[in-house]
Amino acid sequence: MVRLVFVALANLLLLIRTLLGLPFRLLASRHRPTYVRFRLSGDLAYRERRRSRWRWGLRGVAPEPATVSSLESFREALGLLAKDPRVQGILLELEGLAVSSAKKDELVKQLMAFRSAGKRVVGWAVSVDNLGFQVLCAADEVLLAPAGRVDLVGYAAEATALGEGLARVGIQAHFVRRGAYKTAPELFTHERVSDIQQQTLEAFLDERYAELVNAIAGGRKRSPEEARALIDAGPYSAQRAVAAGLVDALCSEAELPARLTPRPPEERKKDEEEPEEPLEAMESWLAALPFPPVKWRPLRRRPKLGLISLSGMIVPGRGSSGPIGPKTAGSDAVVKAVRAAGRDKRAKAVVLYINSPGGSALASELILEAIQRVARKKPVIAYVDQVAASGGYMAALGAQEIWSSPHAVVGSIGVFAGKFEASGLMAHLGIHRTLLTRGENAGIFSVSRGFTPHERASLEAEVEETYQAFLAHVAKARRRTTEEIHARGEGRVYSGTRGLAAGLVDRVGSFEEACRYALERAGVKTERFELALYGGAERRVSLLQLLLSGARTHLYAFCPTAWALTEQGGLEPRDRFD
């Protein structure tokens, strides 16, 4: 009853504010923009985080008015503009766009839906790379600044082997692994990159390259052969990009209004000494609507969908979230978040967002057990848009279904363990250590020597036991035999598409589709729902702490490095969904 009173008062205030502004909006409606400007920059959130306006003032980092903050807000804005007969289209500015492949696909999908409503999309950039150019290929017209560039060069990935370099400074890496495809220790043990590591990377390069070729062929109306030739001839200056047909024309930012909304010659001559007004952002269009959409407070609360983030290397304890030092997912923090989502009666279902390359086997199993308990009470869907491998994949097994984007990294069912020996480095520095033990394996963690035959045998047995337990977890969750999972295991990694074919993934789709499906499994069918994030890291950890902890023998369920292919071959983890 109290809620009804507050909702009624809130809606009454909204109505009064709307009516008071009506005369001003009627005056402004005659000048409602025909093109609305949007700016895509950095990484976009999946959904809007509600922030107080005054926080921007304190931080001094308020974004430009046209900057898109989330895929959700962009989709809603395009939906409103598509219904306005006065609106001809949008201007899409790209500046340093850095989203995952899954988010890029969602942007392209939204732009194509907007075009199908009879509206135009005009893309503009100063400098654009492979990712940004794929987004621009979804536009009707592509414009580039006269001093701009199109860094269309294809994809590269650099694999590194540090074995010889570590040996030169007196450090030896001693690792035991289960599976020829569990190549993570090779970074420290091998002098050269192995054939298996190279083949693994090339499989992902082939998929990303094919996607880039298809985007250029479809967007610029070229054959696949012509698209590949265009990539081979990159990068491009602005003039070369126009000549090659990658962009339609060169246009400075100041010239954009005149190009999109041309005026009669007499008006241009009259105002030729006055600068063109910049294109309006979405806020200006909304302010010029006589009856803008009002977000009325619903009498009933929206359905609540729980969201749990498992991002970074999985470690025991609380984990960390930076900004200084690497991001880790602590088992204590994640388990607490899972339990909180399970206890919340308003959360009808849970989405487990995973962007983790794995980590501690023990911590991964603790997280898996917690997720399994919640999944017995309510629907839990795991979603991967970048990487869920080994420990990350193990955690996903607790969900009823695993969803993935097409180019995410999944799998890597395997185990390795080891330590670094620094006896050579200590001798070079004049450091002398004497190891005294009581017990055959008492010195197994020592960095002053390698493994004894007895210690290595013990470690191999533990790694094998952990691997068999991993196989059993996957076999049970995926309803397969351990032999079938072993054939897909031993460290093999898959893209989301290949993981679907291998039976390691249930569906390939978007984050929004996974959210709606989770609610549908709970019997809730709605496009509007409240996304509630549970948990978060409680402290920070430095890179030095991780390196020091790596000097001891640990069991890992996967390589501690998450990677994403870029046009420069960079390996960079990132995630954002809030």
Side-chain angles (χ1 to χ4, degrees), residues 255-446:
E255 297 169 336
L256 286 171
R259 183 179 181 88
L260 296 181
T261 57
R263 294 179 296 173
E266 58 274 10
E267 289 188 19
R268 291 202 304 268
K269 184 176 180 180
K270 180 180 178 182
D271 300 334
E272 61 183 2
E273 296 182 359
E274 297 182 9
E276 289 279 357
E277 290 292 331
L279 291 167
E280 300 289 353
M282 187 66 185
E283 289 79 3
S284 299
W285 178 82
L286 288 171
L289 281 182
F291 300 98
V294 179
K295 294 185 178 180
W296 303 107
R297 300 296 185 266
L299 295 179
R300 283 188 174 185
R301 291 179 176 178
R302 291 181 180 178
K304 190 175 183 180
L305 175 65
L307 179 66
I308 301 167
S309 172
L310 198 165
S311 299
M313 182 178 175
I314 299 174
V315 298
R318 293 178 293 176
S320 64
S321 61
I324 300 174
K327 187 173 186 178
T328 60
S331 57
D332 289 355
V334 176
V335 168
K336 287 180 181 178
V338 172
R339 290 173 178 171
R343 289 193 301 267
D344 191 343
K345 295 181 179 180
R346 278 200 60 219
K348 303 302 182 183
V350 176
V351 169
L352 176 66
Y353 174 85
I354 302 176
N355 181 22
S356 172
S360 164
L362 173 61
S364 301
E365 291 199 39
L366 290 174
I367 294 172
L368 169 63
E369 183 181 351
I371 295 169
Q372 287 174 332
R373 289 200 299 270
V374 173
R376 297 188 190 105
K377 302 177 183 178
K378 60 184 67 176
V380 178
I381 302 299
Y383 182 74
V384 188
D385 66 349
Q386 294 176 74
V387 57
S390 274
Y393 183 74
M394 178 183 286
L397 298 173
Q400 282 97 345
E401 288 193 14
I402 300 175
W403 285 52
S404 171
S405 66
H407 299 293
V409 179
V410 297
S412 191
I413 303 166
V415 183
F416 72 88
K419 70 175 182 179
F420 294 98
E421 175 197 349
S423 59
L425 177 61
M426 288 188 290
H428 178 72
L429 297 175
I431 300 173
H432 304 281
R433 302 182 73 178
T434 300
L435 178 64
L436 304 175
T437 63
R438 295 296 184 272
E440 286 288 336
N441 294 336
I444 193 171
F445 298 131
S446 174

Side-chain angles (χ1 to χ4, degrees), residues 44-53 55-56 59 68-73 295 307 309 327 531-536 575-578:
L44 307 181
Y46 276 114
R47 286 200 156 231
E48 200 71 21
R49 171 181 287 183
R50 309 304 174 189
R51 293 182 174 89
S52 299
R53 293 184 178 180
R55 289 180 61 190
W56 294 123
R59 294 188 178 186
V68 177
S69 56
S70 70
L71 294 174
E72 175 194 29
S73 63
K295 294 185 178 180
L307 179 66
S309 172
K327 187 173 186 178
L531 198 62
L533 176 63
Y534 297 87
D575 72 278
R576 195 169 175 217
F577 49 80
D578 54 288

Side-chain angles (χ1 to χ4, degrees), residues 138-342:
D140 295 278
E141 184 179 17
V142 179
L143 305 176
L144 190 68
R149 288 179 57 81
V150 177
D151 289 321
L152 183 66
V153 294
Y155 293 100
E158 291 183 339
T160 304
L162 301 175
E164 183 178 351
L166 291 175
R168 289 184 180 182
V169 296
I171 298 176
Q172 295 289 333
H174 302 277
F175 284 93
V176 173
R177 64 178 178 177
R178 184 58 170 89
Y181 292 85
K182 200 69 179 176
T183 58
E186 294 180 4
L187 171 66
F188 309 108
T189 60
H190 282 41
E191 295 182 358
R192 299 286 185 273
V193 176
S194 68
D195 292 339
I196 290 178
Q197 176 76 319
Q198 184 173 333
Q199 292 167 8
T200 300
L201 289 174
E202 286 183 345
F204 283 92
L205 283 171
D206 287 342
E207 291 188 356
R208 291 291 180 88
Y209 181 70
E211 180 189 37
L212 180 60
V213 169
N214 291 335
I216 296 171
R220 304 310 297 171
K221 296 179 175 56
R222 302 295 183 93
S223 68
E225 293 75 17
E226 290 173 326
R228 283 189 285 268
L230 287 170
I231 296 171
D232 292 340
Y236 293 84
S237 65
Q239 290 74 21
R240 290 189 62 232
V242 172
L246 291 175
V247 301
D248 297 295
L250 301 183
C251 182
S252 69
E253 186 173 9
E255 297 169 336
L256 286 171
R259 183 179 181 88
L260 296 181
T261 57
R263 294 179 296 173
E266 58 274 10
E267 289 188 19
R268 291 202 304 268
K269 184 176 180 180
K270 180 180 178 182
D271 300 334
E272 61 183 2
E273 296 182 359
E274 297 182 9
E276 289 279 357
E277 290 292 331
L279 291 167
E280 300 289 353
M282 187 66 185
E283 289 79 3
S284 299
W285 178 82
L286 288 171
L289 281 182
F291 300 98
V294 179
K295 294 185 178 180
W296 303 107
R297 300 296 185 266
L299 295 179
R300 283 188 174 185
R301 291 179 176 178
R302 291 181 180 178
K304 190 175 183 180
L305 175 65
L307 179 66
I308 301 167
S309 172
L310 198 165
S311 299
M313 182 178 175
I314 299 174
V315 298
R318 293 178 293 176
S320 64
S321 61
I324 300 174
K327 187 173 186 178
T328 60
S331 57
D332 289 355
V334 176
V335 168
K336 287 180 181 178
V338 172
R339 290 173 178 171

